[in-house]
Amino acid sequence: MGICISTAKQCISTGEEVVDDFINRQSRFYKESELAKEHLSQKKQTGNDSHINDVLKSDISPIYPSLPKGAKKYHCRSVYDGDTITLEDNSKTGLKVRLLGIDTPEIKEKQQFSAEAKEYTKKYCHNKDVWISLEHSGDENEKNKDRYGRLLAFIWVPLNSKGNNNKRQSSKDIPEQWLCMNEGLVSCGLAHVYSPSKSKVHNNDKLIQLQKLARKHKRGQWKTYKDYHAIVTPSGGAFHKCIKKKSIKTDCKYLARSKNLRLIVVSKAYDKGMHPCRNCFE
């Protein structure tokens, strides 16, 4: 089933360490503290620390000093899975939101790391105030919705201790650091880049770089990843499973009439921003 609470806690811990490390760097005594720790411990850097440092030093950190312009505040009612939450609004059912630009493992299909992704999102969002920003201007813009009517958005959460608790945030709490949940999930290896349409989100390149780092350091779902070949079309955004190893033969219904099929190493497909076909990789 791939559902392991201890692994979920480890993934959440990794995300928290990235956050804590970034905030600690703001301290005036950070350099002196780190030198003292290095002198006392004299231990080699672990893979986990290496991943955190690589993310923070690469200028692609998922942590920001302020909210994007136009971000709106909501209260999160519930978390369905890693990339789907429900916000409170004037309706009984609430406002269903799908995190934009990413895809997490499916809870319903009991995919590996689906529980870990849900726990990560729940940790930062459930019963807390969150902020959302949209890719396209205008709340009623249909481009901001998916085919199920869910709002496609970026989710932002405050990282200061007062603002990131179970209580609603007061106007006096002004956080200095904000985590973009979409990017945070990718950086921890709990989501991959996902763009079902030809139009890419504004931070698509950044998401791909975060994904590459997560794969390099075997974070989350990349822990047991081994490269393999898949099938792609000249203009498609997804890669498809081969019936036989290194063969362009496939039983995917989406490729029934496709021509000019070719093989690609999956890691290269991911680096191009491609995603697994939902028919092939259920």
Side-chain angles (χ1 to χ4, degrees):
M1 292 173 62
I3 299 178
C4 176
I5 297 303
S6 61
T7 307
K9 290 180 178 178
Q10 183 180 11
C11 292
I12 293 172
S13 175
T14 300
E16 290 177 338
E17 288 175 14
V18 172
V19 169
D20 292 342
D21 189 78
F22 185 86
I23 294 174
N24 288 339
R25 288 173 188 273
Q26 313 309 309
S27 168
R28 59 185 296 189
F29 301 114
Y30 175 79
K31 184 176 182 180
E32 291 83 353
S33 174
E34 289 302 295
L35 288 173
K37 289 179 184 177
E38 183 178 356
H39 177 72
L40 291 172
S41 64
Q42 292 295 314
K43 64 181 181 179
K44 293 183 179 181
Q45 196 177 48
T46 66
N48 184 50
D49 290 337
S50 178
H51 175 61
I52 292 170
N53 287 331
D54 276 7
V55 170
L56 295 173
K57 291 178 181 178
S58 61
D59 295 326
I60 57 171
S61 172
I63 302 163
Y64 293 72
S66 61
L67 283 170
K69 185 179 179 180
K72 291 187 176 182
K73 178 181 174 181
Y74 287 86
H75 193 71
C76 180
R77 177 189 294 182
S78 62
V79 174
Y80 175 73
D81 60 15
D83 58 29
T84 311
I85 66 176
T86 300
L87 307 177
E88 290 184 358
D89 64 358
N90 297 324
S91 66
K92 291 183 179 180
T93 57
L95 178 63
K96 288 182 170 52
V97 177
R98 172 71 160 75
L99 273 67
L100 184 59
I102 69 168
D103 192 29
T104 60
E106 300 295 329
I107 288 284
K108 188 176 181 180
E109 281 76 18
K110 298 180 180 180
Q111 293 178 342
Q112 274 195 314
F113 287 95
S114 58
E116 291 86 339
K118 179 178 180 177
E119 286 299 317
Y120 183 92
T121 301
K122 192 173 180 179
K123 168 77 174 179
Y124 289 104
C125 298
H126 179 63
N127 199 28
K128 298 175 184 178
D129 287 336
V130 301
W131 280 252
I132 70 170
S133 63
L134 307 176
E135 184 73 5
H136 305 282
S137 60
D139 293 347
E140 301 302 321
N141 193 327
E142 288 300 315
K143 291 182 179 180
N144 291 322
K145 296 181 181 180
D146 66 8
R147 58 178 177 169
Y148 303 108
R150 298 175 300 186
L151 188 66
L152 300 172
F154 295 97
I155 305 295
W156 304 83
V157 295
L159 297 181
N160 65 320
S161 58
K162 292 182 179 180
N164 197 24
N165 54 30
N166 289 329
K167 298 179 180 179
R168 293 175 185 267
Q169 192 178 35
S170 72
S171 58
K172 295 181 180 180
D173 295 324
I174 304 176
E176 295 180 355
Q177 306 293 340
W178 296 86
L179 171 66
C180 176
M181 290 296 299
N182 312 53
E183 296 177 0
L185 282 158
V186 173
S187 69
C188 289
L190 297 176
H192 62 255
V193 180
Y194 179 66
S195 181
S197 62
K198 291 184 179 181
S199 59
K200 307 293 184 182
V201 292
H202 71 279
N203 61 340
N204 185 69
D205 290 342
K206 179 178 180 180
L207 287 169
I208 291 174
Q209 292 305 311
L210 286 170
Q211 181 172 262
K212 289 175 69 174
L213 280 177
R215 188 175 75 241
K216 172 185 175 182
H217 293 283
K218 299 184 180 298
R219 308 314 306 165
Q221 60 186 342
W222 302 108
K223 185 176 182 179
T224 58
Y225 173 81
K226 293 182 179 180
D227 229 347
Y228 58 99
H229 284 83
I231 303 168
V232 294
T233 61
S235 59
F239 56 85
H240 307 263
K241 187 180 292 186
C242 306
I243 291 180
K244 295 182 179 180
K245 188 176 181 180
K246 294 185 180 181
S247 169
I248 60 170
K249 291 185 177 181
T250 178
D251 56 3
C252 180
K253 62 181 181 180
Y254 296 124
L255 296 182
R257 298 182 180 180
S258 298
K259 297 180 179 180
N260 301 319
L261 302 179
R262 65 183 179 88
L263 290 173
I264 189 173
V265 177
V266 170
S267 59
K268 291 185 178 180
Y270 275 121
D271 292 347
K272 291 177 179 290
M274 303 181 76
H275 57 268
C277 169
R278 290 196 164 187
N279 177 65
C280 301
F281 299 90
E282 292 183 339

